[in-house]
């Protein structure tokens, strides 16, 4: 029988579990002096110029030694990344993986400007902001002190960091800007009329095939083709066939140019005909 910890671990969605496991394994390796942190941080000189490409990955996996701050980061990562993978990107593994790749690439591009070397905290902040926008309707409790909408959570964390560190949280502000751009492109932009329904953050077709996800662009193209295809001609059923009892008492009036069936013709008597002519064309009767 599996232990409660094992059950909890395997209930975590796949990609969140892989990332969490990588963070834990690398942190444990550093704690056991198997790996030195100097080999893990990111810098353009070491990662690109010197060809140490593993730093592009390890800089997101090492968030310091085991500590209270480390456990808080892990809690936010598992909670928010799990909600995104199981909720917002349910049955869209390629889109979720592509979002993570794009966010990490953007953080790498800005890391040199904010002088950040271990980028795990920035990724957690970006995912937290994305979560707060996708789940803005939720209300959460902050350390049991007060309740607030989820959309306020990143700003409360910035204020908390400002008080604790007594310095401007530049990294958090940058990651909020990054998260907002990706939220806008994935959620808000496709809803606008000028977008034409395009989704710029849809995963490439190669990644969709690799992760067994239907390509969103192909689905949209199929829907457009179906909408543009001419449908079968719709023949209106005559009312007499649909409602026989009603048709007997209320015959359908004849259209212009069509012949009235003999059984529906009304027999007009001579007095009625004279009266009708007298009302419409009295001059004909006067000439007679």
């Amino acid at each position: 029988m599996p232990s409660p910890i094992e059950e909890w671990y395997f209930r975590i969605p796949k990609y969140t579990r892989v990332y969490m496991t990588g963070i834990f394994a690398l942190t444990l390796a550093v704690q056991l002096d198997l790996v030195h942190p100097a080999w893990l941080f990111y810098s353009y000189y070491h990662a690109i110029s010197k060809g140490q490409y593993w730093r592009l990955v390890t800089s997101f996996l090492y968030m310091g030694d085991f500590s209270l701050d480390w456990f808080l980061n892990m809690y936010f990562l598992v909670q928010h990344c799990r909600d995104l993978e199981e909720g917002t990107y349910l049955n869209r593994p390629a889109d979720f993986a592509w979002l993570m790749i794009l966010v990490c690439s953007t953080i790498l591009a800005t890391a040199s400007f904010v002088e950040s070397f271990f980028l795990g905290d920035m990724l957690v902040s970006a995912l937290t902001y994305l979560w707060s926008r996708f789940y803005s309707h939720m209300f959460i409790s902050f350390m049991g002190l007060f309740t607030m909408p989820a959309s306020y959570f990143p700003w409360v964390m910035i204020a908390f960091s400002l008080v604790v560190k007594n310095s401007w949280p530049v990294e958090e502000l940058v990651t909020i800007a990054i998260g907002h751009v990706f939220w806008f492109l994935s959620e808000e932009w496709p809803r606008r009329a000028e977008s034409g329904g395009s989704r710029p953050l849809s995963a490439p077709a190669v990644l969709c095939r690799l992760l067994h996800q239907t390509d969103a662009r192909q689905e949209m193209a199929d829907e457009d083709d179906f909408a543009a295809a001419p449908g079968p001609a719709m023949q209106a059923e005559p009312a007499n066939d649909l409602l026989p009892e009603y048709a007997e008492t209320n015959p359908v009036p004849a259209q212009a140019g069509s012949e009235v069936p003999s059984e529906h013709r009304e027999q007009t008597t001579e007095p009625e005909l004279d009266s009708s002519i007298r009302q419409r064309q009295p001059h004909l009767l006067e000439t007679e």
Side-chain angles (χ1 to χ4, degrees), residues 126-192:
L127 294 175
T128 298
Y129 181 83
L130 286 169
W131 172 86
S132 71
R133 295 311 302 259
F134 283 118
Y135 293 88
S136 58
H137 59 280
M138 293 179 57
F139 282 82
I140 59 176
S141 176
F142 181 73
M143 301 178 66
L145 299 177
F146 57 90
T147 303
M148 61 182 174
S151 57
Y152 293 174
F153 182 68
W155 305 104
V156 172
M157 291 302 298
I158 284 181
F160 182 76
S161 178
L162 181 61
V163 172
V164 172
K165 298 180 180 179
N166 196 24
S167 61
W168 281 100
V170 178
E171 293 181 2
E172 287 82 354
L173 291 172
V174 170
T175 52
I176 281 181
I178 293 173
H180 185 77
V181 169
F182 283 101
W183 169 81
F184 178 82
L185 293 176
S186 62
E187 185 72 9
E188 187 67 20
W189 174 250
R191 297 180 179 180
R192 300 199 173 189

Side-chain angles (χ1 to χ4, degrees), residues 267-278 285 288:
Q267 300 297 328
T268 306
T269 61
E270 288 296 331
E272 293 176 350
L273 181 60
D274 294 344
S275 175
S276 175
I277 295 175
R278 186 177 292 109
L285 296 179
E288 294 178 358

Side-chain angles (χ1 to χ4, degrees), residues 40-281:
L40 306 177
F41 70 87
Y42 168 78
S43 72
Y44 183 87
Y45 172 74
H46 290 87
I48 306 301
S49 300
K50 298 189 70 173
Q52 299 174 3
Y53 300 114
W54 67 84
R55 295 178 183 269
L56 300 175
V57 178
T58 58
S59 58
F60 290 100
L61 297 178
Y62 183 68
M63 295 189 291
D65 296 337
F66 293 118
S67 61
L68 178 61
D69 186 60
W70 185 90
F71 281 103
L72 285 176
N73 276 328
M74 288 296 293
Y75 171 78
F76 291 140
L77 171 68
V78 174
Q79 183 67 30
H80 300 156
C81 197
R82 178 178 190 168
D83 287 344
L84 290 174
E85 185 176 352
E86 287 185 335
T88 308
Y89 290 90
L90 181 64
N91 298 326
R92 296 163 55 197
D95 287 340
F96 181 72
W98 185 241
L99 174 72
M100 294 288 288
I101 292 172
L102 293 177
V103 171
C104 290
S105 300
T106 308
I107 292 175
L108 286 169
T110 59
S112 300
F113 299 99
V114 298
E115 297 182 354
S116 181
F117 303 101
F118 295 103
L119 309 178
D121 291 344
M122 295 184 69
L123 179 58
V124 172
S125 297
L127 294 175
T128 298
Y129 181 83
L130 286 169
W131 172 86
S132 71
R133 295 311 302 259
F134 283 118
Y135 293 88
S136 58
H137 59 280
M138 293 179 57
F139 282 82
I140 59 176
S141 176
F142 181 73
M143 301 178 66
L145 299 177
F146 57 90
T147 303
M148 61 182 174
S151 57
Y152 293 174
F153 182 68
W155 305 104
V156 172
M157 291 302 298
I158 284 181
F160 182 76
S161 178
L162 181 61
V163 172
V164 172
K165 298 180 180 179
N166 196 24
S167 61
W168 281 100
V170 178
E171 293 181 2
E172 287 82 354
L173 291 172
V174 170
T175 52
I176 281 181
I178 293 173
H180 185 77
V181 169
F182 283 101
W183 169 81
F184 178 82
L185 293 176
S186 62
E187 185 72 9
E188 187 67 20
W189 174 250
R191 297 180 179 180
R192 300 199 173 189
E194 57 267 27
S195 69
S198 64
R199 293 183 173 272
L201 296 186
S202 296
V206 175
L207 189 59
C208 290
R209 289 194 297 268
L210 182 63
L211 300 182
H212 307 289
Q213 174 188 313
T214 304
D215 190 358
R217 297 185 183 90
Q218 185 62 38
E219 284 187 345
M220 293 177 61
D222 294 342
E223 291 177 0
D224 294 341
D225 293 342
F226 179 79
M234 300 298 294
Q235 299 293 337
E237 295 291 340
N240 289 352
D241 294 340
L242 298 176
L243 300 173
E245 296 86 358
Y246 179 83
E248 291 177 1
T249 58
N250 300 275
V252 178
Q255 298 179 355
S258 62
E259 182 180 358
V260 179
S262 59
E263 61 270 15
H264 291 157
R265 294 174 183 171
E266 297 183 357
Q267 300 297 328
T268 306
T269 61
E270 288 296 331
E272 293 176 350
L273 181 60
D274 294 344
S275 175
S276 175
I277 295 175
R278 186 177 292 109
Q279 291 176 0
R280 297 182 181 180
Q281 295 176 330

